[in-house]
Amino acid sequence: MAIVIIRQDGKIDAWKKALKERNPSIEVYSYLEEHPKESITMALIWKHPKGTLAQYPNLKCIASAGAGVDYIFDDSTAPTNTPITRVVDPYLASDMSEHVLAVILAELKNFNTYKLQQVDHNWNPKEYRRIQDVTIGIMGLGELGALTAKNLVKYGFQVQGWSRSKKEIEGVQAFAGQEQLDPFLNSTEFLVCLLPLTPQTEGILNRSLFLKLPKNAYIINVARGGHMVDEDLLHALDSGHLSGASLDVYHEEPLPGDHPFWQHPKIFMTPHYASVSDTHSVVPQILENYERLGNNRELLNKVNRTKGY
């Protein structure tokens, strides 16, 4: 039994070190070094190069190092019967909640507008809004969405949520299913997307959806770039229907230098860093599943391949 780490962000050594610190006897390899492929039973991955998973004949678990797994399903060469696990990390949820709160408060108090005015030496006070004056709508009430909703309620926001199946969260008005999507959108002034990316949710942030939001609604996408139809967002912003958007995720990352998002005055961008897996928090659950593999026990945080999350 051995683990191979496959990722392209320069963090392999950090993850390798964290695993070895917790269990010095474990065999851990980088996919970039010489290693016994037939001994690999777990692949710990994040946005791996397509085709790499197919190289391991005895792979028994594909462990995503983050909460998302859509990139695994995008790899047509990945094993189709190998169990997939994902990270369920309290730090991921709390970090995401803090990011969303910061974005909303910055928009309520016109911080992004003032930054643009500062560059132009433009002194122009704007009317601001208060927490109790706006309704936040969260699409997706999994671990990240549920905690974000709960925390926003604590701060005094009016919060509603929409999900595939009905969720009960204290203080949050719950909507569920396609038949309740329109009423959810009609009363949402800040729309936060925290949906998993599946064939059913791909491109859901489109022109039709934007037009169902109140005029001057604000979009926050911290889920996946595949949820957004870029051209439709630009049209909704330029037409004046949407007041702005905060984006942390994109179809291509890093975002190409010629993409219109870079220069758009109504778009605030962050580089897919709203919520990042912490090695010290995540490694214990990776090792727990590694031990479960060796003992033929049920894996934790297993992904439902049919649902895609």
Side-chain angles (χ1 to χ4, degrees):
M1 289 181 64
I3 298 175
V4 64
I5 303 175
I6 310 174
R7 52 194 304 146
Q8 305 177 82
D9 56 1
K11 296 182 179 180
I12 289 178
D13 288 343
W15 282 88
K16 193 174 181 179
K17 179 182 178 183
L19 287 165
K20 295 290 283 185
E21 284 177 348
R22 296 281 300 202
N23 185 350
S25 65
I26 200 169
E27 289 186 64
V28 187
Y29 301 96
S30 163
Y31 81 108
L32 297 172
E33 66 182 321
E34 287 293 327
H35 60 284
K37 291 184 171 61
E38 67 282 354
S39 298
I40 300 299
T41 52
M42 173 183 279
L44 176 58
I45 69 173
W46 182 249
K47 297 190 175 179
H48 63 293
K50 292 180 180 179
T52 49
L53 291 172
Q55 301 174 21
Y56 301 99
N58 298 313
L59 194 61
K60 292 183 171 58
C61 174
I62 300 170
S64 174
V69 294
D70 51 280
Y71 65 95
I72 300 174
F73 292 109
D74 285 343
D75 182 0
S76 62
T77 68
T80 56
N81 296 316
T82 302
I84 299 171
T85 62
R86 64 187 183 92
V87 165
V88 176
D89 177 15
Y91 285 108
L92 276 179
S94 61
D95 289 352
M96 181 63 75
S97 173
E98 291 174 9
H99 178 92
V100 170
L101 174 62
V103 168
I104 293 171
L105 289 176
E107 181 62 17
L108 286 181
K109 302 308 178 185
N110 303 307
F111 283 9
N112 299 325
T113 299
Y114 289 145
K115 183 59 182 177
L116 293 172
Q117 290 182 181
Q118 178 183 337
V119 173
D120 294 331
H121 294 201
N122 180 12
W123 184 283
N124 184 15
K126 300 285 186 182
E127 184 177 352
Y128 55 79
R129 287 177 287 173
R130 299 182 177 89
I131 284 175
Q132 65 264 29
D133 294 338
V134 296
T135 299
I136 314 297
I138 299 176
M139 298 181 76
L141 294 173
E143 288 86 2
L144 302 184
L147 183 64
T148 299
K150 291 174 185 176
N151 286 344
L152 289 173
V153 168
K154 290 178 184 177
Y155 275 97
F157 288 99
Q158 300 175 61
V159 183
Q160 53 192 33
W162 179 82
S163 52
R164 175 174 167 171
S165 55
K166 188 110 176 194
K167 303 290 176 64
E168 297 294 335
I169 301 174
E170 187 176 355
V172 178
Q173 184 178 4
F175 295 82
Q178 196 62 37
E179 66 280 1
Q180 292 188 354
L181 180 57
D182 284 6
F184 163 79
L185 294 171
N186 295 160
S187 53
T188 291
E189 295 166 282
F190 279 78
L191 180 67
V192 182
C193 181
L194 275 166
L195 291 165
L197 183 60
T198 68
Q200 290 72 40
T201 64
E202 185 172 4
I204 193 169
L205 299 177
N206 56 37
R207 185 177 303 196
S208 174
L209 180 143
F210 297 148
L211 288 174
K212 293 171 183 174
L213 294 167
K215 184 174 173 56
N216 292 321
Y218 190 90
I219 303 294
I220 302 172
N221 188 17
V222 283
R224 285 291 181 268
H227 289 116
M228 181 70 70
V229 179
D230 292 0
E231 297 79 8
D232 290 1
L233 175 62
L234 291 167
H235 179 271
L237 292 170
D238 293 340
S239 69
H241 184 70
L242 296 180
S243 63
S246 175
L247 308 177
D248 186 58
V249 290
Y250 313 90
H251 286 276
E252 184 179 347
E253 299 177 0
L255 191 67
D258 60 351
H259 197 288
F261 284 174
W262 284 108
Q263 303 298 329
H264 203 288
K266 293 184 179 180
I267 294 178
F268 175 75
M269 290 171 47
T270 50
H272 200 156
Y273 220 70
S275 179
V276 180
S277 298
D278 177 82
T279 54
H280 298 292
S281 176
V282 172
V283 159
Q285 62 185 270
I286 299 298
L287 291 176
E288 169 70 17
N289 269 341
Y290 186 69
E291 292 178 11
R292 286 171 175 256
L293 272 182
N295 296 321
N296 294 314
R297 294 168 60 201
E298 185 70 17
L299 298 175
L300 302 174
N301 307 322
K302 195 172 174 181
V303 170
N304 184 317
R305 282 184 172 270
T306 301
K307 291 182 178 179
Y309 58 91

